[in-house]
Amino acid sequence: MKIDGQTLEGLSLNDAVGLLKNSENDTVTLSIEREGEADLIETEVTKEKLAAIVADGKMLDDKIGYLAISEFTGLTPEQFQKVYQSLQDQGMERLIIDLRGNPGGLVTAVCDTLRQILPEGLIVYTEDKNGKREEYTCDGDTPISIPLVVLVNENTASAAEIFTGAVKDYGIGTIVGTTTFGKGIVQNTFQLSDGSVVKLTIAHYYTPLGNDIHKVGITPDVEVELPDDATSDVQLEKALEVVKGLESAE
């Protein structure tokens, strides 16, 4: 009902959040109305910056690690490394990386993540209309040596497709799910003199083997749909079946 004594009556959600975020104090007092309580409950909370969780995981049965990446941001490489290392410390022998619903993000972030599992070589490259090429490479110091499955669907896009394409081209894992979204372009925004902004496509990106997946997507090695009326995650179930049948590279 109040933040630091100021009523929230008539304020929009954004305005109320602004009061909380823009307070100069390290702590703020929230006045809360609760059913069954005659008086407002006042509680003091400490403000701190919270890092969004974009990579998380757990150990499944049969020493199979499960690692989901929801987006490729500046936080992803470090969070991936921590989860990946934790699973290794727990004795992981096989791994499923879930990229379903991942809309993409930063090219630098996906490359820094892939450098933790790829062999030496090209990760992805971009090329503009004049043929100017920019390459992103991996030194291959820590290539993955256990069976790997990458789960994808029609909402796996952009940087997540860079990840999928590199895994597929290098043959270090099996792709399971449905054909990915198909966004293989680099776009920049340019401000105009009147203050408006135009977004332009400036280049295409290509997988290590030179595949342009824009408006095409990446076809899984093992195709499996997830029906709307499914009572269980049949895609994950198939991924588990596939990864159990893969041989280790060790």
Side-chain angles (χ1 to χ4, degrees):
M1 304 300 292
K2 298 179 183 179
I3 295 177
D4 282 341
Q6 181 172 338
T7 180
L8 302 185
E9 186 176 354
L11 295 184
S12 68
L13 175 62
N14 285 339
D15 290 338
V17 170
L19 279 180
L20 191 65
K21 291 174 63 176
N22 298 329
S23 171
E24 296 180 356
N25 302 321
D26 292 333
T27 61
V28 293
T29 300
L30 305 181
S31 302
I32 302 167
E33 182 181 71
R34 182 171 296 162
E35 187 176 354
E37 298 283 345
D39 300 321
L40 293 178
I41 301 170
E42 294 202 343
T43 182
E44 190 175 81
V45 296
T46 301
K47 295 196 306 178
E48 35 180 274
K49 291 183 178 180
L50 299 178
I53 297 175
V54 290
D56 201 4
K58 59 185 176 181
M59 186 68 81
L60 304 178
D61 294 337
D62 302 317
K63 296 185 179 180
I64 299 173
Y66 172 82
L67 203 164
I69 305 174
S70 60
E71 190 175 0
F72 287 98
T73 73
L75 301 171
T76 306
E78 181 180 353
Q79 290 187 12
F80 178 91
Q81 190 277 329
K82 288 181 178 179
V83 178
Y84 187 45
Q85 185 61 56
S86 174
L87 291 171
Q88 289 177 308
D89 292 343
Q90 295 174 62
M92 174 177 64
E93 296 180 356
R94 302 172 188 276
L95 176 62
I96 295 171
I97 296 178
D98 194 343
L99 298 181
R100 292 176 296 177
N102 185 320
L106 302 174
V107 172
T108 52
V110 69
C111 288
D112 285 344
T113 303
L114 280 166
R115 288 185 178 105
Q116 300 177 50
I117 64 169
L118 282 185
E120 182 180 2
L122 188 62
I123 299 174
V124 67
Y125 67 93
T126 63
E127 196 171 283
D128 66 16
K129 66 179 182 179
N130 298 316
K132 182 181 178 181
R133 176 165 164 160
E134 182 176 0
E135 296 184 349
Y136 299 81
T137 60
C138 175
D139 56 21
D141 287 343
T142 56
I144 192 168
S145 58
I146 60 175
L148 170 66
V149 162
V150 177
L151 261 175
V152 298
N153 65 6
E154 62 278 4
N155 294 316
T156 301
S158 193
E161 292 175 289
I162 291 177
F163 191 103
T164 306
V167 169
K168 186 170 185 178
D169 282 6
Y170 278 102
I172 63 170
T174 301
I175 314 302
V176 174
T178 54
T179 300
T180 60
F181 185 81
K183 184 177 186 292
I185 55 175
V186 181
Q187 294 179 306
N188 271 0
T189 55
F190 301 88
Q191 187 163 352
L192 304 180
S193 58
D194 63 356
S196 60
V197 171
V198 62
K199 178 184 283 189
L200 290 180
T201 298
I202 60 169
H204 277 231
Y205 67 71
Y206 299 83
T207 70
L209 293 181
N211 296 313
D212 181 356
I213 55 88
H214 191 59
K215 294 186 178 180
V216 177
I218 298 172
T219 303
D221 300 303
V222 179
E223 294 194 55
V224 54
E225 298 274 353
L226 181 61
D228 293 336
D229 58 353
T231 57
S232 64
D233 190 342
V234 294
Q235 290 178 325
L236 178 57
E237 291 167 2
K238 175 58 73 171
L240 287 165
E241 176 189 324
V242 171
V243 81
K244 287 178 184 178
L246 296 175
E247 294 295 328
S248 173
E250 291 182 319

